[in-house]
PDB file of all heavy atoms in Angstrom:
ATOM      1  N   THR A1325     120.353 152.234  12.934  1.00 95.00           N
ATOM      2  CA  THR A1325     120.577 151.979  14.362  1.00 95.00           C
ATOM      3  C   THR A1325     119.606 152.773  15.172  1.00 95.00           C
ATOM      4  O   THR A1325     119.489 154.066  15.039  1.00 95.00           O
ATOM      5  CB  THR A1325     122.009 152.291  14.710  1.00 95.00           C
ATOM      6  OG1 THR A1325     122.925 151.547  13.934  1.00 95.00           O
ATOM      7  CG2 THR A1325     122.187 152.017  16.262  1.00 95.00           C
ATOM      8  N   ARG A1326     118.976 152.077  16.051  1.00 97.00           N
ATOM      9  CA  ARG A1326     117.967 152.688  16.979  1.00 97.00           C
ATOM     10  C   ARG A1326     118.485 152.968  18.362  1.00 97.00           C
ATOM     11  O   ARG A1326     119.264 152.095  18.908  1.00 97.00           O
ATOM     12  CB  ARG A1326     116.711 151.864  16.982  1.00 97.00           C
ATOM     13  CG  ARG A1326     115.997 151.752  15.685  1.00 97.00           C
ATOM     14  CD  ARG A1326     114.905 150.677  15.733  1.00 97.00           C
ATOM     15  NE  ARG A1326     114.068 150.665  14.518  1.00 97.00           N
ATOM     16  CZ  ARG A1326     114.419 150.105  13.414  1.00 97.00           C
ATOM     17  NH1 ARG A1326     115.570 149.594  13.246  1.00 97.00           N
ATOM     18  NH2 ARG A1326     113.587 150.173  12.304  1.00 97.00           N
ATOM     19  N   ASN A1327     118.073 153.986  19.006  1.00 98.00           N
ATOM     20  CA  ASN A1327     118.427 154.298  20.384  1.00 98.00           C
ATOM     21  C   ASN A1327     117.145 154.755  21.108  1.00 98.00           C
ATOM     22  O   ASN A1327     116.372 155.524  20.602  1.00 98.00           O
ATOM     23  CB  ASN A1327     119.458 155.348  20.397  1.00 98.00           C
ATOM     24  CG  ASN A1327     119.894 155.769  21.799  1.00 98.00           C
ATOM     25  OD1 ASN A1327     120.287 154.871  22.538  1.00 98.00           O
ATOM     26  ND2 ASN A1327     119.886 156.996  22.128  1.00 98.00           N
ATOM     27  N   TYR A1328     117.041 154.330  22.405  1.00 98.00           N
ATOM     28  CA  TYR A1328     115.829 154.702  23.113  1.00 98.00           C
ATOM     29  C   TYR A1328     116.266 155.138  24.534  1.00 98.00           C
ATOM     30  O   TYR A1328     117.167 154.739  25.133  1.00 98.00           O
ATOM     31  CB  TYR A1328     114.928 153.475  23.290  1.00 98.00           C
ATOM     32  CG  TYR A1328     114.357 152.943  22.011  1.00 98.00           C
ATOM     33  CD1 TYR A1328     114.995 151.895  21.393  1.00 98.00           C
ATOM     34  CD2 TYR A1328     113.179 153.485  21.507  1.00 98.00           C
ATOM     35  CE1 TYR A1328     114.441 151.406  20.187  1.00 98.00           C
ATOM     36  CE2 TYR A1328     112.653 152.919  20.292  1.00 98.00           C
ATOM     37  CZ  TYR A1328     113.289 151.933  19.631  1.00 98.00           C
ATOM     38  OH  TYR A1328     112.749 151.351  18.421  1.00 98.00           O
ATOM     39  N   ALA A1329     115.381 156.039  25.029  1.00 98.00           N
ATOM     40  CA  ALA A1329     115.560 156.425  26.457  1.00 98.00           C
ATOM     41  C   ALA A1329     115.079 155.271  27.312  1.00 98.00           C
ATOM     42  O   ALA A1329     114.242 154.475  26.908  1.00 98.00           O
ATOM     43  CB  ALA A1329     114.708 157.661  26.749  1.00 98.00           C
ATOM     44  N   ASP A1330     115.700 155.149  28.457  1.00 98.00           N
ATOM     45  CA  ASP A1330     115.355 153.961  29.338  1.00 98.00           C
ATOM     46  C   ASP A1330     113.944 153.955  29.685  1.00 98.00           C
ATOM     47  O   ASP A1330     113.275 152.891  29.830  1.00 98.00           O
ATOM     48  CB  ASP A1330     116.254 154.049  30.602  1.00 98.00           C
ATOM     49  CG  ASP A1330     117.723 153.622  30.302  1.00 98.00           C
ATOM     50  OD1 ASP A1330     117.997 153.072  29.246  1.00 98.00           O
ATOM     51  OD2 ASP A1330     118.515 153.971  31.170  1.00 98.00           O
ATOM     52  N   SER A1331     113.302 155.145  29.798  1.00 97.00           N
ATOM     53  CA  SER A1331     111.889 155.252  30.249  1.00 97.00           C
ATOM     54  C   SER A1331     110.970 154.682  29.236  1.00 97.00           C
ATOM     55  O   SER A1331     109.769 154.514  29.607  1.00 97.00           O
ATOM     56  CB  SER A1331     111.589 156.674  30.630  1.00 97.00           C
ATOM     57  OG  SER A1331     111.863 157.532  29.492  1.00 97.00           O
ATOM     58  N   VAL A1332     111.397 154.558  27.931  1.00 98.00           N
ATOM     59  CA  VAL A1332     110.395 154.082  26.922  1.00 98.00           C
ATOM     60  C   VAL A1332     110.802 152.768  26.337  1.00 98.00           C
ATOM     61  O   VAL A1332     110.075 152.209  25.514  1.00 98.00           O
ATOM     62  CB  VAL A1332     110.268 155.095  25.795  1.00 98.00           C
ATOM     63  CG1 VAL A1332     109.894 156.530  26.454  1.00 98.00           C
ATOM     64  CG2 VAL A1332     111.519 155.267  24.995  1.00 98.00           C
ATOM     65  N   LYS A1333     111.928 152.203  26.713  1.00 98.00           N
ATOM     66  CA  LYS A1333     112.332 150.906  26.123  1.00 98.00           C
ATOM     67  C   LYS A1333     111.337 149.834  26.402  1.00 98.00           C
ATOM     68  O   LYS A1333     110.786 149.765  27.451  1.00 98.00           O
ATOM     69  CB  LYS A1333     113.729 150.503  26.759  1.00 98.00           C
ATOM     70  CG  LYS A1333     114.898 151.236  26.182  1.00 98.00           C
ATOM     71  CD  LYS A1333     116.239 150.705  26.816  1.00 98.00           C
ATOM     72  CE  LYS A1333     117.396 151.480  26.303  1.00 98.00           C
ATOM     73  NZ  LYS A1333     118.685 151.088  26.952  1.00 98.00           N
ATOM     74  N   GLY A1334     111.043 149.082  25.361  1.00 97.00           N
ATOM     75  CA  GLY A1334     110.042 148.066  25.431  1.00 97.00           C
ATOM     76  C   GLY A1334     108.605 148.477  25.214  1.00 97.00           C
ATOM     77  O   GLY A1334     107.673 147.714  25.130  1.00 97.00           O
ATOM     78  N   ARG A1335     108.410 149.830  25.215  1.00 98.00           N
ATOM     79  CA  ARG A1335     107.057 150.319  24.967  1.00 98.00           C
ATOM     80  C   ARG A1335     106.967 151.181  23.679  1.00 98.00           C
ATOM     81  O   ARG A1335     105.894 151.152  23.008  1.00 98.00           O
ATOM     82  CB  ARG A1335     106.663 151.283  26.119  1.00 98.00           C
ATOM     83  CG  ARG A1335     106.639 150.553  27.502  1.00 98.00           C
ATOM     84  CD  ARG A1335     106.099 151.431  28.582  1.00 98.00           C
ATOM     85  NE  ARG A1335     106.786 152.696  28.774  1.00 98.00           N
ATOM     86  CZ  ARG A1335     106.335 153.966  28.640  1.00 98.00           C
ATOM     87  NH1 ARG A1335     105.017 154.109  28.284  1.00 98.00           N
ATOM     88  NH2 ARG A1335     107.077 155.025  28.853  1.00 98.00           N
ATOM     89  N   PHE A1336     107.988 151.836  23.337  1.00 98.00           N
ATOM     90  CA  PHE A1336     108.067 152.687  22.130  1.00 98.00           C
ATOM     91  C   PHE A1336     108.914 152.031  21.083  1.00 98.00           C
ATOM     92  O   PHE A1336     109.935 151.414  21.353  1.00 98.00           O
ATOM     93  CB  PHE A1336     108.580 154.038  22.432  1.00 98.00           C
ATOM     94  CG  PHE A1336     107.716 154.927  23.259  1.00 98.00           C
ATOM     95  CD1 PHE A1336     106.602 154.454  23.903  1.00 98.00           C
ATOM     96  CD2 PHE A1336     107.997 156.301  23.399  1.00 98.00           C
ATOM     97  CE1 PHE A1336     105.824 155.243  24.765  1.00 98.00           C
ATOM     98  CE2 PHE A1336     107.229 157.161  24.125  1.00 98.00           C
ATOM     99  CZ  PHE A1336     106.171 156.600  24.854  1.00 98.00           C
ATOM    100  N   THR A1337     108.534 152.249  19.749  1.00 98.00           N
ATOM    101  CA  THR A1337     109.329 151.737  18.664  1.00 98.00           C
ATOM    102  C   THR A1337     109.465 152.875  17.568  1.00 98.00           C
ATOM    103  O   THR A1337     108.408 153.414  17.164  1.00 98.00           O
ATOM    104  CB  THR A1337     108.668 150.485  17.991  1.00 98.00           C
ATOM    105  OG1 THR A1337     108.552 149.498  19.029  1.00 98.00           O
ATOM    106  CG2 THR A1337     109.580 149.988  16.873  1.00 98.00           C
ATOM    107  N   ILE A1338     110.683 153.095  17.182  1.00 98.00           N
ATOM    108  CA  ILE A1338     110.876 154.128  16.179  1.00 98.00           C
ATOM    109  C   ILE A1338     111.202 153.413  14.899  1.00 98.00           C
ATOM    110  O   ILE A1338     111.842 152.394  14.828  1.00 98.00           O
ATOM    111  CB  ILE A1338     112.047 155.079  16.586  1.00 98.00           C
ATOM    112  CG1 ILE A1338     112.118 156.243  15.524  1.00 98.00           C
ATOM    113  CG2 ILE A1338     113.412 154.305  16.544  1.00 98.00           C
ATOM    114  CD1 ILE A1338     113.156 157.357  15.993  1.00 98.00           C
ATOM    115  N   SER A1339     110.645 153.939  13.780  1.00 95.00           N
ATOM    116  CA  SER A1339     110.835 153.359  12.446  1.00 95.00           C
ATOM    117  C   SER A1339     110.801 154.439  11.388  1.00 95.00           C
ATOM    118  O   SER A1339     110.374 155.584  11.772  1.00 95.00           O
ATOM    119  CB  SER A1339     109.745 152.211  12.205  1.00 95.00           C
ATOM    120  OG  SER A1339     108.521 152.854  12.231  1.00 95.00           O
ATOM    121  N   ARG A1340     111.027 154.088  10.215  1.00 91.00           N
ATOM    122  CA  ARG A1340     110.875 155.038   9.180  1.00 91.00           C
ATOM    123  C   ARG A1340     110.718 154.355   7.809  1.00 91.00           C
ATOM    124  O   ARG A1340     111.050 153.198   7.661  1.00 91.00           O
ATOM    125  CB  ARG A1340     112.095 155.954   9.137  1.00 91.00           C
ATOM    126  CG  ARG A1340     113.418 155.312   8.701  1.00 91.00           C
ATOM    127  CD  ARG A1340     114.579 156.254   8.750  1.00 91.00           C
ATOM    128  NE  ARG A1340     115.780 155.591   8.406  1.00 91.00           N
ATOM    129  CZ  ARG A1340     116.987 156.244   8.394  1.00 91.00           C
ATOM    130  NH1 ARG A1340     117.035 157.457   8.767  1.00 91.00           N
ATOM    131  NH2 ARG A1340     118.095 155.565   8.039  1.00 91.00           N
ATOM    132  N   ASP A1341     110.101 155.043   6.932  1.00 89.00           N
ATOM    133  CA  ASP A1341     109.918 154.654   5.524  1.00 89.00           C
ATOM    134  C   ASP A1341     110.748 155.625   4.658  1.00 89.00           C
ATOM    135  O   ASP A1341     110.368 156.833   4.474  1.00 89.00           O
ATOM    136  CB  ASP A1341     108.430 154.714   5.243  1.00 89.00           C
ATOM    137  CG  ASP A1341     108.151 154.187   3.795  1.00 89.00           C
ATOM    138  OD1 ASP A1341     109.002 154.293   2.942  1.00 89.00           O
ATOM    139  OD2 ASP A1341     107.027 153.756   3.626  1.00 89.00           O
ATOM    140  N   LEU A1342     111.898 155.162   4.219  1.00 84.00           N
ATOM    141  CA  LEU A1342     112.752 156.003   3.439  1.00 84.00           C
ATOM    142  C   LEU A1342     112.169 156.494   2.193  1.00 84.00           C
ATOM    143  O   LEU A1342     112.434 157.558   1.729  1.00 84.00           O
ATOM    144  CB  LEU A1342     114.107 155.300   3.127  1.00 84.00           C
ATOM    145  CG  LEU A1342     115.033 155.014   4.371  1.00 84.00           C
ATOM    146  CD1 LEU A1342     116.233 154.185   3.961  1.00 84.00           C
ATOM    147  CD2 LEU A1342     115.384 156.365   5.082  1.00 84.00           C
ATOM    148  N   ALA A1343     111.374 155.610   1.549  1.00 85.00           N
ATOM    149  CA  ALA A1343     110.737 156.037   0.295  1.00 85.00           C
ATOM    150  C   ALA A1343     109.803 157.187   0.463  1.00 85.00           C
ATOM    151  O   ALA A1343     109.599 158.003  -0.426  1.00 85.00           O
ATOM    152  CB  ALA A1343     109.962 154.833  -0.307  1.00 85.00           C
ATOM    153  N   LYS A1344     109.161 157.245   1.684  1.00 88.00           N
ATOM    154  CA  LYS A1344     108.188 158.347   1.883  1.00 88.00           C
ATOM    155  C   LYS A1344     108.888 159.433   2.726  1.00 88.00           C
ATOM    156  O   LYS A1344     108.170 160.475   3.033  1.00 88.00           O
ATOM    157  CB  LYS A1344     107.057 157.778   2.701  1.00 88.00           C
ATOM    158  CG  LYS A1344     106.232 156.811   1.886  1.00 88.00           C
ATOM    159  CD  LYS A1344     105.029 156.351   2.768  1.00 88.00           C
ATOM    160  CE  LYS A1344     104.158 155.336   1.991  1.00 88.00           C
ATOM    161  NZ  LYS A1344     103.021 154.785   2.791  1.00 88.00           N
ATOM    162  N   ASN A1345     110.094 159.319   3.184  1.00 87.00           N
ATOM    163  CA  ASN A1345     110.772 160.349   3.997  1.00 87.00           C
ATOM    164  C   ASN A1345     109.924 160.565   5.228  1.00 87.00           C
ATOM    165  O   ASN A1345     109.758 161.789   5.660  1.00 87.00           O
ATOM    166  CB  ASN A1345     111.074 161.598   3.251  1.00 87.00           C
ATOM    167  CG  ASN A1345     112.292 161.474   2.429  1.00 87.00           C
ATOM    168  OD1 ASN A1345     113.197 160.618   2.696  1.00 87.00           O
ATOM    169  ND2 ASN A1345     112.421 162.326   1.422  1.00 87.00           N
ATOM    170  N   THR A1346     109.396 159.524   5.768  1.00 91.00           N
ATOM    171  CA  THR A1346     108.510 159.655   6.910  1.00 91.00           C
ATOM    172  C   THR A1346     108.927 158.743   8.041  1.00 91.00           C
ATOM    173  O   THR A1346     109.260 157.601   7.791  1.00 91.00           O
ATOM    174  CB  THR A1346     106.996 159.335   6.598  1.00 91.00           C
ATOM    175  OG1 THR A1346     106.603 160.219   5.578  1.00 91.00           O
ATOM    176  CG2 THR A1346     106.094 159.467   7.796  1.00 91.00           C
ATOM    177  N   GLY A1347     108.944 159.246   9.253  1.00 93.00           N
ATOM    178  CA  GLY A1347     109.341 158.459  10.359  1.00 93.00           C
ATOM    179  C   GLY A1347     108.104 158.269  11.322  1.00 93.00           C
ATOM    180  O   GLY A1347     107.169 159.048  11.205  1.00 93.00           O
ATOM    181  N   TYR A1348     108.221 157.236  12.134  1.00 97.00           N
ATOM    182  CA  TYR A1348     107.130 156.949  13.043  1.00 97.00           C
ATOM    183  C   TYR A1348     107.619 156.650  14.435  1.00 97.00           C
ATOM    184  O   TYR A1348     108.697 156.216  14.585  1.00 97.00           O
ATOM    185  CB  TYR A1348     106.339 155.753  12.474  1.00 97.00           C
ATOM    186  CG  TYR A1348     105.858 155.835  11.114  1.00 97.00           C
ATOM    187  CD1 TYR A1348     106.644 155.349  10.055  1.00 97.00           C
ATOM    188  CD2 TYR A1348     104.722 156.510  10.753  1.00 97.00           C
ATOM    189  CE1 TYR A1348     106.290 155.492   8.753  1.00 97.00           C
ATOM    190  CE2 TYR A1348     104.334 156.656   9.479  1.00 97.00           C
ATOM    191  CZ  TYR A1348     105.070 156.110   8.461  1.00 97.00           C
ATOM    192  OH  TYR A1348     104.712 156.299   7.120  1.00 97.00           O
ATOM    193  N   LEU A1349     106.804 156.984  15.385  1.00 98.00           N
ATOM    194  CA  LEU A1349     107.013 156.588  16.760  1.00 98.00           C
ATOM    195  C   LEU A1349     105.794 155.890  17.263  1.00 98.00           C
ATOM    196  O   LEU A1349     104.726 156.505  17.525  1.00 98.00           O
ATOM    197  CB  LEU A1349     107.398 157.828  17.611  1.00 98.00           C
ATOM    198  CG  LEU A1349     107.787 157.454  19.075  1.00 98.00           C
ATOM    199  CD1 LEU A1349     109.134 156.749  19.098  1.00 98.00           C
ATOM    200  CD2 LEU A1349     107.892 158.741  19.972  1.00 98.00           C
ATOM    201  N   GLN A1350     105.875 154.584  17.334  1.00 98.00           N
ATOM    202  CA  GLN A1350     104.765 153.757  17.920  1.00 98.00           C
ATOM    203  C   GLN A1350     104.945 153.735  19.386  1.00 98.00           C
ATOM    204  O   GLN A1350     105.925 153.282  19.951  1.00 98.00           O
ATOM    205  CB  GLN A1350     104.781 152.355  17.338  1.00 98.00           C
ATOM    206  CG  GLN A1350     103.734 151.442  17.858  1.00 98.00           C
ATOM    207  CD  GLN A1350     102.341 151.851  17.435  1.00 98.00           C
ATOM    208  OE1 GLN A1350     102.099 152.201  16.307  1.00 98.00           O
ATOM    209  NE2 GLN A1350     101.350 151.817  18.389  1.00 98.00           N
ATOM    210  N   MET A1351     103.844 154.205  20.035  1.00 98.00           N
ATOM    211  CA  MET A1351     103.895 154.323  21.521  1.00 98.00           C
ATOM    212  C   MET A1351     102.830 153.353  22.071  1.00 98.00           C
ATOM    213  O   MET A1351     101.615 153.641  21.888  1.00 98.00           O
ATOM    214  CB  MET A1351     103.713 155.691  21.960  1.00 98.00           C
ATOM    215  CG  MET A1351     104.669 156.696  21.305  1.00 98.00           C
ATOM    216  SD  MET A1351     104.525 158.374  21.903  1.00 98.00           S
ATOM    217  CE  MET A1351     102.888 158.816  21.451  1.00 98.00           C
ATOM    218  N   ASN A1352     103.270 152.369  22.857  1.00 98.00           N
ATOM    219  CA  ASN A1352     102.259 151.366  23.443  1.00 98.00           C
ATOM    220  C   ASN A1352     102.402 151.544  24.984  1.00 98.00           C
ATOM    221  O   ASN A1352     103.378 152.046  25.538  1.00 98.00           O
ATOM    222  CB  ASN A1352     102.637 150.010  23.057  1.00 98.00           C
ATOM    223  CG  ASN A1352     102.449 149.805  21.521  1.00 98.00           C
ATOM    224  OD1 ASN A1352     101.645 150.427  20.872  1.00 98.00           O
ATOM    225  ND2 ASN A1352     103.289 148.957  20.897  1.00 98.00           N
ATOM    226  N   ASN A1353     101.399 151.015  25.639  1.00 98.00           N
ATOM    227  CA  ASN A1353     101.312 151.054  27.082  1.00 98.00           C
ATOM    228  C   ASN A1353     101.660 152.434  27.635  1.00 98.00           C
ATOM    229  O   ASN A1353     102.555 152.546  28.476  1.00 98.00           O
ATOM    230  CB  ASN A1353     102.275 149.950  27.641  1.00 98.00           C
ATOM    231  CG  ASN A1353     102.110 149.749  29.167  1.00 98.00           C
ATOM    232  OD1 ASN A1353     101.044 150.087  29.725  1.00 98.00           O
ATOM    233  ND2 ASN A1353     103.102 149.190  29.800  1.00 98.00           N
ATOM    234  N   LEU A1354     100.975 153.378  27.087  1.00 98.00           N
ATOM    235  CA  LEU A1354     101.246 154.720  27.542  1.00 98.00           C
ATOM    236  C   LEU A1354     100.955 155.017  28.979  1.00 98.00           C
ATOM    237  O   LEU A1354      99.968 154.483  29.549  1.00 98.00           O
ATOM    238  CB  LEU A1354     100.469 155.723  26.632  1.00 98.00           C
ATOM    239  CG  LEU A1354     101.159 155.915  25.302  1.00 98.00           C
ATOM    240  CD1 LEU A1354     100.131 156.548  24.300  1.00 98.00           C
ATOM    241  CD2 LEU A1354     102.369 156.799  25.323  1.00 98.00           C
ATOM    242  N   LYS A1355     101.751 155.880  29.536  1.00 98.00           N
ATOM    243  CA  LYS A1355     101.620 156.248  31.019  1.00 98.00           C
ATOM    244  C   LYS A1355     101.433 157.722  31.116  1.00 98.00           C
ATOM    245  O   LYS A1355     101.778 158.436  30.207  1.00 98.00           O
ATOM    246  CB  LYS A1355     102.878 155.813  31.739  1.00 98.00           C
ATOM    247  CG  LYS A1355     103.234 154.378  31.625  1.00 98.00           C
ATOM    248  CD  LYS A1355     104.596 154.057  32.347  1.00 98.00           C
ATOM    249  CE  LYS A1355     104.927 152.489  32.181  1.00 98.00           C
ATOM    250  NZ  LYS A1355     106.257 152.297  32.781  1.00 98.00           N
TER     251      LYS A1355
END
């Protein structure tokens, strides 16, 4: 389950790779 701050909704995406124990934050349309 994902949760985002209102200020980044639609621009940022959180994800993770459980096999690698690595998470990511893709940030688009940065301000």
Side-chain angles (χ1 to χ4, degrees):
T1325 299
R1326 295 166 171 82
N1327 181 52
Y1328 296 95
D1330 288 342
S1331 59
V1332 306
K1333 282 181 181 176
R1335 300 189 298 123
F1336 291 12
T1337 302
I1338 189 170
S1339 63
R1340 66 182 180 183
D1341 184 333
L1342 292 177
K1344 296 181 179 179
N1345 281 337
T1346 299
Y1348 306 96
L1349 184 67
Q1350 177 67 44
M1351 306 185 295
N1352 298 328
N1353 189 21
L1354 283 160
K1355 305 176 181 180

